[in-house]
Amino acid sequence: KHKVDQVGLLCKRLSHKLGVAYDKKLLVRTRKTAKQSELGFKERFENMKGSMRTDRNCELDGKTILLIDDVCTTRSTLMECARALKSAGARCVYAATVATVRNTEKI
């Protein structure tokens, strides 16, 4: 079964339209994490803590980064990615999502 990278497709198209670079390998997982959809609200933040870093060959000093995600539920993944990018020297990190879950009380 072939899995489609819908976020990757969106990023490629958007980067072309905006005339900015897209780097699929900029962020790297440091460890295997549990599936976020199987965790509660607080557990999602703990699960993601320290789980991302930037590619050691990237040059981010002073750059502005736009993170794209398909669905934002608790922001835990986006926040961990932003932390890693800022730690690597990014000046500013923005995030855009296709969909956002409003009611996280049941998570």
Side-chain angles (χ1 to χ4, degrees):
K1 185 178 173 182
H2 180 68
K3 189 175 178 182
V4 176
D5 178 13
Q6 58 197 19
V7 175
L9 293 172
L10 177 64
C11 289
K12 284 180 192 174
R13 187 71 169 240
L14 191 58
S15 70
H16 178 73
K17 290 281 186 194
L18 295 174
V20 296
Y22 162 58
D23 187 350
K24 179 180 181 173
K25 297 179 181 177
L26 180 62
L27 287 166
V28 179
R29 283 196 185 270
T30 60
R31 60 181 168 78
K32 187 170 175 66
T33 56
K35 197 171 181 183
Q36 289 286 85
S37 61
E38 296 173 357
L39 301 173
F41 186 87
K42 290 180 181 177
E43 290 84 13
R44 291 178 186 218
F45 286 91
E46 284 301 313
N47 186 45
M48 292 307 297
K49 193 180 287 183
S51 67
M52 303 298 284
R53 68 166 172 79
T54 57
D55 177 1
R56 296 189 199 322
N57 297 319
C58 69
E59 193 60 47
L60 295 182
D61 288 342
K63 292 195 177 178
T64 298
I65 307 292
L66 174 61
L67 289 171
I68 307 288
D69 202 356
D70 53 353
V71 179
C72 177
T73 306
T74 60
R75 301 178 325 274
S76 56
T77 302
L78 291 171
M79 289 173 63
E80 181 57 26
C81 291
R83 184 209 53 77
L85 292 164
K86 296 281 279 189
S87 292
R91 180 177 60 86
C92 194
V93 179
Y94 292 95
T97 61
V98 176
T100 301
V101 175
R102 292 187 68 186
N103 184 359
T104 57
E105 292 176 13
K106 294 182 181 180
I107 295 175

